[in-house]
């Protein structure tokens, strides 16, 4: 029997009256930054009668702020290049959590995958989803939803940042007990998930961050074995003297010189997992992206093209590396 809270949510949502309009953040054109293009618009509410069998209307309760993703979305670059040719507007926001407030008036529960069945995501279901989350309400394909017990900010972060960390470390990095795992930007969204997954696996975790507050969290909350606070110590010296040629997996999201250092200090058979290059994103860096390693391509090429680079016995995997 579902808990009382679940039945209450379903009852409330079943009789929730949808407003005639809702607000959302959109861009009418691409530009230099999110600030340049984001605008609030009022839209007519979706008509539940028009929903396909695999669509749901979700009232958004939490939305994740993915700075890199939104920057490139608004600039129309890399995976978002099609935004430059959009006629009208394009939605902003990626991951979110919310409650299903409307489904199709009629749906065949015998067709489609499990997440495409009406019985799987009925009205009142809480879900984490991807797509247009900077909105009060959103229409989403059920294939982009995952059912959860209740919406929360933690579940919102899990939808992309957590899934990326788990998939990269386990399916690409083949992480195992006693590995030495380096996590850069370890106090960030996906970095903090990577730290926890690595510790849970029984790995020795080395984490980088740039201030004492983050260092304290990494040590006291997550039990990181070695925190390198590069505002207080030289990260190059620390890695070379303590972990030179010993790192089995580098979960790397900073790019620039940090990526080069991680690559340099990998053990034989080591794997570098490129999950971003935030130090060289447009909002943090002016000028073209460049590589600081003779044996690696530019961080943006490695990441967005999903490249796999093998040098001697080391391997670097981009965003789609296998």
């Amino acid at each position: 029997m579902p808990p009382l809270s679940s039945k209450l949510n379903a009852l409330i949502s079943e009789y929730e009256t949808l407003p005639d309009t809702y607000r959302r953040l959109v861009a009418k054109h691409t530009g230099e930054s999110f600030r340049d293009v984001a605008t609030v618009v009022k839209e007519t509410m979706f008509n539940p009668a028009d929903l396909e069998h695999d669509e749901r209307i979700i009232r958004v309760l939490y939305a994740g702020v993915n700075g890199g993703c939104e920057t490139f979305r608004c600039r129309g670059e890399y995976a978002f290049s099609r935004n430059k040719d959009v006629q009208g507007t394009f939605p902003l926001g990626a991951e979110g959590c919310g409650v299903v407030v409307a489904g199709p008036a009629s749906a065949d529960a015998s067709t489609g995958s499990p997440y495409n069945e009406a019985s799987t995501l009925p009205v009142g279901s809480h879900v984490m989803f991807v797509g247009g989350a900077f909105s009060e309400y959103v229409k989403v394909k059920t294939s982009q939803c995952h059912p959860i017990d209740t919406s929360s900010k933690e579940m919102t972060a899990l939808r992309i940042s957590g899934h990326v960390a788990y998939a990269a470390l386990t399916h690409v990095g083949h992480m195992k007990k006693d590995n030495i795992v380096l996590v850069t930007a370890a106090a960030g969204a996906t970095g903090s998930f990577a730290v926890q997954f690595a510790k849970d696996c029984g790995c020795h975790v080395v984490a980088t961050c740039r201030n004492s507050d983050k260092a304290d969290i990494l040590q006291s909350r997550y039990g990181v074995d070695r925190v390198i606070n590069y505002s207080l110590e030289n990260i190059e010296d620390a890695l070379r003297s303590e972990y030179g040629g010993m790192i089995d997996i580098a979960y790397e999201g900073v790019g620039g010189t940090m990526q080069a250092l991680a690559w340099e200090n990998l053990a034989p058979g080591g794997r570098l997992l490129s999950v971003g290059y935030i130090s060289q994103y447009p909002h943090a860096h002016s000028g073209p992206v460049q590589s600081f390693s003779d044996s690696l391509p530019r961080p943006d090429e490695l990441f967005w093209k999903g490249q796999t680079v093998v040098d001697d016995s080391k391997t670097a995997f981009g965003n789609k590396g296998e």
Side-chain angles (χ1 to χ4, degrees):
M1 176 180 293
L4 180 61
S5 59
S6 298
K7 292 193 290 185
L8 183 60
N9 279 332
L11 183 63
I12 292 172
S13 297
E14 182 176 358
Y15 293 100
E16 177 174 323
T17 301
L18 296 179
D20 294 332
T21 61
Y22 68 98
R23 295 172 299 168
R24 66 172 180 151
L25 273 172
V26 302
K28 297 180 180 179
H29 53 79
T30 56
E32 289 298 309
S33 67
F34 184 90
R35 182 186 297 271
D36 288 340
V37 304
T39 185
V40 178
V41 297
K42 183 180 287 187
E43 303 278 19
T44 301
M45 177 55 68
F46 310 104
N47 184 353
D50 295 334
L51 293 176
E52 299 292 335
H53 73 94
D54 62 344
E55 292 178 328
R56 301 291 184 273
I57 299 174
I58 297 170
R59 176 160 51 87
V60 181
L61 301 177
Y62 297 92
V65 180
N66 190 323
C69 179
E70 294 310 312
T71 295
F72 294 120
R73 188 194 312 278
C74 291
R75 291 169 65 93
E77 296 177 339
Y78 301 109
F80 306 101
S81 59
R82 64 186 181 275
N83 287 347
K84 290 185 176 180
D85 301 320
V86 168
Q87 300 296 315
T89 65
F90 57 88
L92 299 177
E95 67 268 43
C97 279
V99 61
V100 176
V101 294
S106 175
D108 183 357
S110 66
T111 62
S113 64
Y115 291 159
N116 286 344
E117 296 177 2
S119 59
T120 301
L121 294 179
V123 169
S125 301
H126 283 255
V127 296
M128 50 184 179
F129 66 91
V130 174
F134 293 169
S135 180
E136 293 176 321
Y137 291 83
V138 65
K139 180 173 70 174
V140 182
K141 292 286 188 180
T142 53
S143 60
Q144 296 299 308
C145 298
H146 189 89
I148 54 178
D149 290 336
T150 190
S151 298
S152 67
K153 56 183 181 293
E154 290 82 7
M155 284 295 178
T156 305
L158 180 64
R159 182 60 182 88
I160 292 180
S161 297
H163 284 182
V164 167
Y166 185 80
L169 290 170
T170 59
H171 299 300
V172 181
H174 302 292
M175 179 175 64
K176 59 185 180 181
K177 185 179 179 181
D178 296 326
N179 278 166
I180 296 178
V181 178
L182 169 67
V183 181
T184 64
T190 194
S192 61
F193 278 110
V195 164
Q196 294 175 78
F197 290 139
K199 286 298 299 180
D200 191 57
C201 184
C203 298
H204 178 95
V205 178
V206 184
T208 72
C209 64
R210 62 179 177 180
N211 65 52
S212 297
D213 289 340
K214 293 179 179 180
D216 289 343
I217 290 173
L218 290 168
Q219 287 183 316
S220 63
R221 184 179 300 176
Y222 301 141
V224 168
D225 300 283
R226 173 69 163 101
V227 176
I228 303 174
N229 177 355
Y230 50 84
S231 69
L232 299 178
E233 57 183 311
N234 186 298
I235 190 169
E236 183 175 349
D237 291 343
L239 284 178
R240 285 177 176 168
S241 64
E242 299 176 41
Y243 298 100
M246 297 171 59
I247 296 170
D248 297 297
I249 300 174
Y251 188 82
E252 211 295 294
V254 176
T257 57
M258 185 75 79
Q259 185 179 93
L261 277 173
W263 178 247
E264 173 191 323
N265 288 286
L266 287 180
R271 287 84 69 199
L272 184 146
L273 312 175
S274 173
V275 294
Y277 51 101
I278 193 168
S279 69
Q280 295 172 289
Y281 287 173
H283 64 271
H285 171 82
S286 60
V289 177
Q290 59 179 313
S291 174
F292 288 84
S293 171
D294 292 336
S295 54
L296 287 178
R298 295 190 337 237
D300 59 334
E301 292 182 338
L302 176 65
F303 178 79
W304 289 107
K305 293 182 179 180
Q307 296 178 336
T308 299
V309 177
V310 180
D311 182 63
D312 292 329
S313 63
K314 301 184 298 186
T315 307
F317 295 94
N319 192 38
K320 297 179 181 178
E322 298 180 355

